[in-house]
């Protein structure tokens, strides 16, 4: 079945540091890939998505590229801010109607 | 426009008791999903409604869990009787269509079973 594997957290960075959160997936066919973010006290919200190989999703300075050859969708940001502190979830949607989520990676950004 | 709302935000109950969680999806969203996250692990799928019909309930762990969506509006998830391993955060999400995978989530209901 479908599955998503994310790097263990927490990831702790200083403000303006470069961020990478790794995500790899297992799926049949050609899934769509997503990053969701959960800020403290809020629900998950869609951050970015990519629907086919080599697509790059981007939003709020975050980027992720759909790499079919490595089955990966790593999240990157060039310069993180304190306000980016949150839990980030990688997800995929294959042929079924049910999105599959990873375990989440907590990001803590210090001033 | 109101987002997905869940109630209660936190519930603490004794093993063997009953708890009912409620979810109000975004108005006009026919698709409603329940997920659960236990102890920092994956957010695991429980079930999917399309309007009032259960489209997929393959993730429901056992018959102690009962979900309903009467009238195709809000949904309830009842756990009876609750066990220790049921503790976790229960998320509700909704969407207009099930095709895109883009879900709108509530803040979650944290359940603690003692």
């Amino acid at each position: 079945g479908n599955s998503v594997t994310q790097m263990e957290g927490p990831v702790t960075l200083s403000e303006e540091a470069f961020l990478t959160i790794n995500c790899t997936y297992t799926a049949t066919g050609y899934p769509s890939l997503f990053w969701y973010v959960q800020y403290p006290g809020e629900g998950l919200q869609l951050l970015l998505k990519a629907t086919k190989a080599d697509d790059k999703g981007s939003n709020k300075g975050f980027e992720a590229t759909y790499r079919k050859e490595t089955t990966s969708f790593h999240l990157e940001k060039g310069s993180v801010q304190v306000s980016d502190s949150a839990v980030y979830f990688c997800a995929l949607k294959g042929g079924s109607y049910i999105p599959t989520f990873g375990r989440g990676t907590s990001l803590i950004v210090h001033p | 426009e109101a987002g997905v709302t869940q109630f209660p935000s936190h519930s603490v109950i004794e093993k063997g008791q009953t708890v009912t969680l409620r979810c109000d999806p975004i108005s006009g969203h026919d698709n409603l999903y329940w997920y659960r996250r236990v102890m920092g692990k994956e957010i695991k799928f429980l079930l999917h409604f399309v309007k009032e019909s259960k489209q997929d309930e393959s993730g429901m762990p056992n018959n102690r869990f009962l979900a309903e969506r009467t009238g195709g509006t809000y949904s309830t998830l009842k756990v009876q009787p609750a066990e220790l391993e049921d503790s976790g955060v229960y998320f509700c999400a909704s969407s207009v269509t099930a095709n895109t995978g883009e879900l709108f989530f509530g803040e979650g209901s944290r359940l603690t079973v003692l």
Side-chain angles (χ1 to χ4, degrees):
Chain A
N2 296 339
S3 67
V4 174
T5 302
Q6 290 182 237
M7 59 188 292
E8 292 270 354
V11 173
T12 304
L13 296 172
S14 297
E15 205 165 25
E16 299 183 3
F18 184 85
L19 168 71
T20 299
I21 299 178
N22 291 337
C23 170
T24 57
Y25 67 90
T26 300
T28 55
Y30 302 92
S32 295
L33 301 175
F34 308 84
W35 277 100
Y36 282 79
V37 58
Q38 184 183 23
Y39 297 105
E42 299 182 13
L44 282 75
Q45 55 187 272
L46 181 65
L47 179 60
L48 53 84
K49 69 174 184 178
T51 58
K52 61 183 187 295
D54 300 324
D55 266 3
K56 177 184 284 187
S58 62
N59 186 24
K60 299 182 180 180
F62 291 89
E63 293 182 339
T65 301
Y66 189 144
R67 302 286 188 201
K68 187 162 179 63
E69 63 276 14
T70 54
T71 61
S72 65
F73 193 55
H74 304 322
L75 182 68
E76 297 182 334
K77 186 175 185 182
S79 176
V80 294
Q81 305 300 311
V82 172
S83 57
D84 293 327
S85 298
V87 182
Y88 293 80
F89 293 89
C90 187
L92 70 82
K93 181 187 170 303
S96 79
Y97 293 134
I98 309 304
T100 299
F101 288 81
R103 66 188 300 155
T105 302
S106 175
L107 171 65
I108 302 169
V109 181
H110 294 294
Chain B
E1 177 184 285
V4 177
T5 56
Q6 294 188 243
F7 182 83
S9 57
H10 191 188
S11 180
V12 181
I13 62 173
E14 299 281 337
K15 175 183 172 181
Q17 290 186 318
T18 297
V19 64
T20 300
L21 310 177
R22 171 170 170 146
C23 169
D24 286 75
I26 293 173
S27 177
H29 283 198
D30 287 342
N31 293 271
L32 187 149
Y33 306 78
W34 284 99
Y35 284 85
R36 177 174 71 174
R37 187 182 191 213
V38 176
M39 289 287 288
K41 296 187 178 178
E42 292 86 354
I43 297 179
K44 289 203 166 181
F45 167 74
L46 296 178
L47 87 159
H48 170 215
F49 284 99
V50 178
K51 297 185 179 179
E52 67 275 9
S53 299
K54 292 177 184 175
Q55 185 75 17
D56 184 338
E57 53 184 328
S58 61
M60 295 288 264
N62 52 60
N63 59 11
R64 295 185 293 102
F65 288 74
L66 175 64
E68 294 180 324
R69 192 182 182 196
T70 307
T73 54
Y74 71 90
S75 175
T76 58
L77 180 63
K78 179 189 288 188
V79 185
Q80 179 182 31
E83 298 289 345
L84 300 179
E85 64 265 25
D86 300 332
S87 296
V89 180
Y90 290 78
F91 289 103
C92 176
S94 70
S95 65
V96 174
T97 171
N99 294 331
T100 64
E102 298 179 32
L103 306 184
F104 293 82
F105 279 81
E107 294 178 19
S109 292
R110 180 176 295 277
L111 173 64
T112 302
V113 183
L114 303 176

